[in-house]
Amino acid sequence: SDMATLAPVRAEITAPPPTGAAAALEVSGDRDDAADQFVIPGMAVSTTQGFMRGHGTFTRDGELIATLAGSVQQTNKLITVKPVKSRYNGEVGDVVVGRVVDVQQKRWKVDTSSRLDSSLLLSSVNLPGGELRRKSVEDELMMRDYLKEGDLISAEVQQVQHDGSLQLHTRNLKYGKLAQGISVKVPSYLIKRRKAHFHSLPCGAAVVIGCNGHVWIAPELREDADGGYNQDLDEVIPLETRSVMSRLSLCVRLLAAHCVAIYDTTIMAAYELSANHTTSDLLKAPVATEIASLVVRKIRAETADEDL
């Protein structure tokens, strides 16, 4: 009987996009209530005259027709279609997790899974010791001692350039170089933008949920005065903590595989619902589907309770 009751929810979240993507938008709460419309290419977006044609639409016989699969968004008279599946488009204030790919003059180039590599200026970082001062020639010569190719960092988007590339900064102590942990890559459109993207979870680990689709799972959150540059990579993480981190990473992957929005609430819900299964069982498709469907049901129930 339990399996019978799970079947409808399971069918909904395992359906291929755009259905699965629409479910993700519904759980995340990112759908625009004003438009409240999900369209696929060829569907009529609006038959009313007087609207302006925006991105993702074209005009045919006086009708606005969608050219993308996504949610309809209306700003005054302008109607656009926000695609569900697209590369990461950064916004000012976004928390991102990226990897340094190049060290250039007075800047680092960082891969943030956007269309162009992002820039982290030498003047936009906290140097070891945390002091705020003008960067000297010696600092420029020691750039590779601070961050080198392959290093993972957490940062915040400071500015979006005209060509769409992002300018980052790590001036806050919570940002900086990342040490030991697990990096999980998920589609960026599944990440729900929240006020906080750094979370110390009650299960005994911490996550940094990057808006660009990189989820960093670590033993704990550190706010070092040196920006995380002086890290002990030989430190042995306890087995219990590593097991928690491993389970969390599998929970994030199964949520992404079933198009469920990823934020701290859904990650913890999946972690708690997976308690009756071994870590290896989470790799099995039926178990992963069951947990994902239970997460969707739990979040919808909580949302319904809040509305009441």
Side-chain angles (χ1 to χ4, degrees), residues 1-22:
S1 62
D2 291 342
M3 293 303 291
T5 56
L6 286 176
V9 183
R10 180 177 305 173
E12 182 179 343
I13 63 171
T14 55
T19 308

Side-chain angles (χ1 to χ4, degrees), residues 19-192:
T19 308
L25 285 171
E26 185 174 341
V27 175
S28 71
D30 284 345
R31 292 187 71 160
D32 186 358
D33 293 334
D36 196 24
Q37 189 180 1
F38 187 86
V39 294
I40 59 175
M43 281 183 61
V45 178
S46 174
T47 57
T48 310
Q49 298 291 332
F51 284 111
M52 295 171 60
R53 177 173 61 86
H55 178 71
T57 64
F58 72 97
T59 308
R60 183 177 64 194
D61 299 331
E63 289 186 334
L64 277 182
I65 308 296
T67 61
L68 300 169
S71 58
V72 178
Q73 297 192 332
Q74 180 179 340
T75 306
N76 297 327
K77 291 289 184 179
L78 178 68
I79 290 184
T80 58
V81 177
K82 182 181 178 182
V84 171
K85 301 187 74 173
S86 65
R87 289 188 73 91
Y88 168 64
N89 286 317
E91 297 178 9
V92 174
D94 278 0
V95 174
V96 297
V97 175
R99 191 179 294 276
V100 178
V101 293
D102 194 13
V103 182
Q104 299 180 355
Q105 185 175 11
K106 294 187 179 179
R107 74 187 62 208
W108 292 270
K109 284 293 183 180
V110 183
D111 177 14
T112 53
S113 297
S114 51
R115 290 182 176 86
L116 298 168
D117 284 341
S118 305
S119 297
L120 175 64
L121 298 178
L122 177 61
S123 59
S124 301
V125 303
N126 272 348
L127 295 178
E131 73 270 15
L132 291 173
R133 56 175 172 79
R134 290 180 64 87
K135 309 301 188 290
S136 62
V137 177
E138 288 78 11
D139 293 325
E140 191 175 342
L141 293 173
M142 293 178 63
M143 281 178 61
R144 201 170 254 104
D145 292 338
Y146 304 143
L147 292 170
K148 61 180 183 297
E149 293 88 343
D151 284 348
L152 270 172
I153 64 166
S154 62
E156 182 179 312
V157 177
Q158 182 178 20
Q159 189 178 354
V160 180
Q161 308 287 9
H162 296 298
D163 59 358
S165 62
L166 307 177
Q167 190 169 312
L168 311 176
H169 81 88
T170 63
R171 290 197 189 93
N172 196 313
L173 290 181
K174 64 184 178 182
Y175 304 126
K177 189 175 176 181
L178 299 172
Q180 301 195 62
I182 303 172
S183 177
V184 182
K185 178 74 176 73
V186 300
S188 60
Y189 59 84
L190 290 178
I191 302 294
K192 184 175 181 180

Side-chain angles (χ1 to χ4, degrees), residues 139-293:
D139 293 325
E140 191 175 342
L141 293 173
M142 293 178 63
M143 281 178 61
R144 201 170 254 104
D145 292 338
Y146 304 143
L147 292 170
K148 61 180 183 297
E149 293 88 343
D151 284 348
L152 270 172
I153 64 166
S154 62
E156 182 179 312
V157 177
Q158 182 178 20
Q159 189 178 354
V160 180
Q161 308 287 9
H162 296 298
D163 59 358
S165 62
L166 307 177
Q167 190 169 312
L168 311 176
H169 81 88
T170 63
R171 290 197 189 93
N172 196 313
L173 290 181
K174 64 184 178 182
Y175 304 126
K177 189 175 176 181
L178 299 172
Q180 301 195 62
I182 303 172
S183 177
V184 182
K185 178 74 176 73
V186 300
S188 60
Y189 59 84
L190 290 178
I191 302 294
K192 184 175 181 180
R193 284 186 167 91
R194 311 271 281 183
K195 286 185 178 179
H197 282 258
F198 290 77
H199 302 282
S200 292
L201 301 178
C203 58
V207 293
V208 180
I209 305 174
C211 294
N212 59 331
H214 288 273
V215 180
W216 177 256
I217 302 168
E220 60 180 347
L221 290 179
R222 296 179 177 176
E223 292 192 9
D224 298 332
D226 60 5
Y229 298 120
N230 302 318
Q231 296 170 337
D232 183 11
L233 296 179
D234 296 325
E235 179 187 357
V236 178
I237 307 299
L239 177 60
E240 182 180 353
T241 305
R242 293 204 305 272
S243 300
V244 170
M245 292 165 60
S246 176
R247 183 177 290 269
L248 282 171
S249 69
L250 290 173
C251 288
V252 172
R253 287 190 173 97
L254 72 84
L255 290 174
H258 292 83
C259 287
V260 180
I262 295 171
Y263 53 106
D264 56 318
T265 308
T266 52
I267 292 173
M268 271 311 299
Y271 181 87
E272 291 166 358
L273 291 167
S274 70
N276 296 329
H277 302 280
T278 63
T279 308
S280 57
D281 283 344
L282 299 182
L283 296 170
K284 299 175 182 176
V287 175
T289 304
E290 179 185 353
I291 292 172
S293 62

